[in-house]
Amino acid sequence: MGTEVRNTDTPLSLKKFHISEDYGFILPEPLTELPAHYKPWMDIARNVTELISSHSLRLRIHDMPLLETHLLQTHRELRLAHLALSMMTMGYVWQEGERETVKVLPRNLSVPLCEVSRRLGMPPILIHADTVLANWKKRDPDGPLSMENLELLLTLPGGESVRGFFLVTLLVELAAVPGLKSILDVINGVHYNDVAMVTKALDVVSQAIDSMKQALKLMHEYVDPSIFYGIMRIYLSGWKDNPSMPEGLVYEGVQEKPMEFSGGSAAQSSILHSFDELLGVQHKGDSGAFLRRMRDYMPPSHKRFIEDISSRPSLRNFVLQQADEHLTHTFEQCVARLVDFRNCHINIVTRYITIPASRARQLRANKQGLVDELDAIRKAPTALEERGTGGSGIMILLKTVRDETKDIYIPHCTNGNQVLPDAPMTAIQKAASELTIE
């Protein structure tokens, strides 16, 4: 939330930004079928993994008819089309790994993908809004949103680990929903100078961030690090800041000049951007530039929601001005839990990227290890060893973002003769700092 006072007479609503009261940024009840005219797309998209395995996906796509997109009428139809076409795109580009990439995406895939992307306001590449937000269904329609009752609409090589990776991330998004809804109460409370309302809403945000962390930790249970690193990761990688495709990709029939797009990344989730703007976290330099660019990989209405939060009066300034013990403590708890969440993310990246990358270098040097592990490592993209799928220098980025979050802790200060209590806040900060990974 910014320091300037704007939009104060305009109530913030989720509906205005196409955000669900029940699902947040997740697309409620995604379609599982497109109109019959698009059966050639769905037939290939549902078999991307098998076609990659048989090295025949590129041949199948070459034989695919060029279909017009005008029969796609609804937002859900466009989202399923984008998911299917971009899944095919990743498979087509990376079918033979990083050493036999292509320079041109064929017209019968690139033209409809770019047209659907234009209509949605999203980039023509597989993104978080595809793989996580619009790629799920319940096995039992009346059952819960749980790992046991969820499955993917479309998948990529990596078996159950792919399912685990996308669905655990979906559960993180779902865990954030109460906090997302409470952002409105925080903003309204600041506007009406209602300390109790802001405090109560921030407590919900804090609990939601903690629930997100608990959901994120399920990654350890459902995703195998060697499969993620050795098999899955390349199919989530894009053609921007990627040494394997330094010139980008030509979208045939769209434009002759190659285009560059980042691959799917957790930074494309609108949730943490929203909480950062609410709490006043300032991301600067390279990390700030990368995160701002990732907003162009979100559905446009979600990006506008984040910008709207940013335009509101500063929550942190409100907390400082009120000098209320309970409010200050609750704000600090939110910050601590956001730092905690980011430390958890660093732990996961360490396990799923940093350690496997080190192991890969060791195996290549010594040519030893378990056959399955060696085979998976052999397939891993060496050019991406220190990078995230979005193209960023992953550990530097994550630690910088974590440290920038710490910067918004309320400084110890006095209000007249009253010393603001810092004991509980110090305890929270200590707990967060102990999770720091260096």
Side-chain angles (χ1 to χ4, degrees), residues 280-293:
V281 180
Q282 300 290 317
H283 299 297
K284 302 172 183 176
D286 291 342
S287 66
F290 176 76
L291 291 174
R292 283 190 296 275
R293 184 162 60 80

Side-chain angles (χ1 to χ4, degrees), residues 225-234 356 375-381:
S226 63
I227 291 176
F228 175 81
Y229 182 81
I231 298 174
M232 292 167 51
R233 206 159 69 98
I234 194 168
D375 188 53
I377 291 297
R378 180 180 59 80
K379 296 176 182 177

Side-chain angles (χ1 to χ4, degrees), residues 287-343:
S287 66
F290 176 76
L291 291 174
R292 283 190 296 275
R293 184 162 60 80
M294 288 298 99
R295 293 185 184 182
D296 293 332
Y297 289 72
M298 301 172 184
S301 61
H302 298 175
K303 178 183 176 181
R304 288 195 298 271
F305 176 74
I306 296 164
E307 291 169 345
D308 196 304
I309 298 170
S310 178
S311 74
R312 304 284 170 157
S314 168
L315 166 64
R316 188 172 184 274
N317 286 349
F318 176 80
V319 174
L320 284 166
Q321 289 162 7
Q322 295 299 319
D324 178 89
E325 176 180 350
H326 192 192
L327 172 62
T328 304
H329 174 69
T330 307
F331 178 86
E332 292 281 85
Q333 188 175 51
C334 271
V335 176
R337 284 185 166 165
L338 191 53
V339 171
D340 197 4
F341 179 88
R342 286 182 157 139
N343 275 318

Side-chain angles (χ1 to χ4, degrees), residues 33-45:
E33 296 286 352
L34 289 176
H37 179 71
Y38 301 103
K39 187 174 184 294
W41 291 355
M42 296 306 294
D43 285 348
I44 296 175

Side-chain angles (χ1 to χ4, degrees), residues 58 61-67 89 92-93 102-115 124 239 245 248-261:
R58 289 175 180 171
I61 287 174
H62 290 159
D63 292 336
M64 186 176 75
L66 173 57
L67 302 178
T89 296
Y92 185 90
V93 170
V102 296
K103 294 186 177 181
V104 179
L105 194 66
R107 179 187 308 267
N108 52 355
L109 179 53
S110 63
V111 170
L113 172 58
C114 287
E115 177 60 22
W239 25 97
M245 295 183 66
L249 181 68
V250 173
Y251 288 71
E252 187 182 41
V254 179
Q255 72 172 44
E256 294 181 4
K257 184 179 178 182
M259 292 191 275
E260 296 183 335
F261 295 102

Side-chain angles (χ1 to χ4, degrees), residues 302-422:
H302 298 175
K303 178 183 176 181
R304 288 195 298 271
F305 176 74
I306 296 164
E307 291 169 345
D308 196 304
I309 298 170
S310 178
S311 74
R312 304 284 170 157
S314 168
L315 166 64
R316 188 172 184 274
N317 286 349
F318 176 80
V319 174
L320 284 166
Q321 289 162 7
Q322 295 299 319
D324 178 89
E325 176 180 350
H326 192 192
L327 172 62
T328 304
H329 174 69
T330 307
F331 178 86
E332 292 281 85
Q333 188 175 51
C334 271
V335 176
R337 284 185 166 165
L338 191 53
V339 171
D340 197 4
F341 179 88
R342 286 182 157 139
N343 275 318
C344 181
H345 191 195
I346 290 170
N347 271 317
I348 285 173
V349 169
T350 299
R351 186 181 181 214
Y352 285 88
I353 296 179
T354 307
I355 292 174
S358 176
R359 178 67 172 149
R361 288 189 290 269
Q362 179 186 16
L363 287 171
R364 284 195 299 270
N366 299 332
K367 296 183 178 172
Q368 60 183 327
L370 298 175
V371 175
D372 289 346
E373 182 187 14
L374 187 59
D375 188 53
I377 291 297
R378 180 180 59 80
K379 296 176 182 177
T382 57
L384 298 175
E385 280 181 352
E386 302 302 327
R387 292 182 176 271
T389 50
S392 62
I394 187 71
M395 283 310 248
I396 293 173
L397 172 72
L398 292 180
K399 289 181 178 181
T400 299
V401 167
R402 185 268 319 275
D403 292 343
E404 288 168 337
T405 307
K406 290 179 179 180
D407 288 343
I408 61 166
Y409 280 121
I410 301 292
H412 300 167
C413 58
T414 61
N415 179 25
N417 295 323
Q418 178 188 13
V419 178
L420 289 183
D422 61 7

Side-chain angles (χ1 to χ4, degrees), residues 6-185:
R6 303 192 297 274
N7 289 341
T8 53
D9 295 325
T10 306
L12 186 64
S13 72
L14 297 182
K15 186 176 180 181
K16 173 184 175 184
F17 297 98
H18 306 289
I19 301 168
S20 166
E21 289 277 342
D22 298 319
Y23 295 93
F25 294 113
I26 299 166
L27 181 68
E29 300 176 3
L31 292 182
T32 59
E33 296 286 352
L34 289 176
H37 179 71
Y38 301 103
K39 187 174 184 294
W41 291 355
M42 296 306 294
D43 285 348
I44 296 175
R46 287 198 176 98
N47 291 286
V48 162
T49 297
E50 293 78 7
L51 291 168
I52 288 173
S53 180
S54 63
H55 301 273
S56 57
L57 176 62
R58 289 175 180 171
L59 293 174
R60 279 290 299 274
I61 287 174
H62 290 159
D63 292 336
M64 186 176 75
L66 173 57
L67 302 178
E68 299 285 344
T69 63
H70 67 278
L71 295 177
L72 298 168
Q73 300 289 325
T74 69
H75 180 76
R76 280 184 174 82
E77 286 176 346
L78 289 167
R79 291 290 291 274
L80 179 55
H82 196 276
L83 170 66
L85 293 166
S86 55
M87 280 276 196
M88 283 189 270
T89 296
M90 304 314 268
Y92 185 90
V93 170
W94 300 114
Q95 175 180 292
E96 303 301 329
E98 66 176 335
R99 293 176 182 82
E100 295 182 45
T101 55
V102 296
K103 294 186 177 181
V104 179
L105 194 66
R107 179 187 308 267
N108 52 355
L109 179 53
S110 63
V111 170
L113 172 58
C114 287
E115 177 60 22
V116 167
S117 299
R118 182 191 64 78
R119 292 173 65 184
L120 286 169
M122 299 188 335
I125 190 172
L126 190 70
I127 57 176
H128 176 85
D130 299 313
T131 56
V132 175
L133 304 183
N135 189 27
W136 64 276
K137 67 177 179 180
K138 290 182 179 180
R139 289 170 173 164
D140 174 4
D142 298 320
L145 281 160
S146 64
M147 286 298 291
E148 294 71 29
N149 195 42
L150 286 168
E151 60 183 73
L152 299 175
L153 303 181
L154 301 175
T155 192
L156 290 165
E160 281 297 301
S161 286
V162 177
R163 175 182 176 273
F165 182 72
F166 292 146
L167 292 181
V168 166
T169 310
L170 181 78
L171 294 183
V172 174
E173 292 273 346
L174 193 66
V177 173
L180 182 61
K181 291 193 290 187
S182 289
I183 288 175
L184 279 62
D185 292 332

